Amino acid sequence: MVVLDLHLGGIHGFDFAAQVAAMSSSRPPAIVALTGDASPDTVRRAEAAGFAAFLRKPADADTLETVLRPILETECEP
């Protein structure tokens, strides 16, 4: 799993996510957006890009666990 801010220095999170997905020859890792930009366009773009989840900053520990645990459980299945 990759938890990713969409506004990184030097590269946009969507571009980074595409590079991560392209590096995997089998199943790419789940990518979760964690960002302060929750505009409708950004959320739609994340959904279209196949992000496993979209979290708005700041995300507390309970929210992180609620969203990330099922993804981790799925990712760890053989």
Side-chain angles (χ1 to χ4, degrees):
M1 175 190 309
V2 176
V3 179
L4 176 65
D5 192 334
L6 295 180
H7 298 287
L8 304 168
I11 187 170
H12 197 281
F14 287 111
D15 297 328
F16 182 80
Q19 289 180 10
V20 168
M23 289 179 0
S24 176
S25 60
S26 59
R27 187 171 78 175
I31 300 177
V32 176
L34 176 62
T35 184
D37 178 3
S39 70
D41 288 339
T42 302
V43 173
R44 279 192 293 275
R45 189 172 174 196
E47 290 171 352
F51 280 60
F54 188 96
L55 296 168
R56 181 164 164 70
K57 286 181 186 177
D60 61 42
D62 289 337
T63 300
L64 288 170
E65 181 177 4
T66 299
V67 171
L68 301 181
R69 182 176 301 280
I71 297 168
L72 283 170
E73 290 171 353
T74 301
E75 290 295 303
C76 293
E77 290 178 355

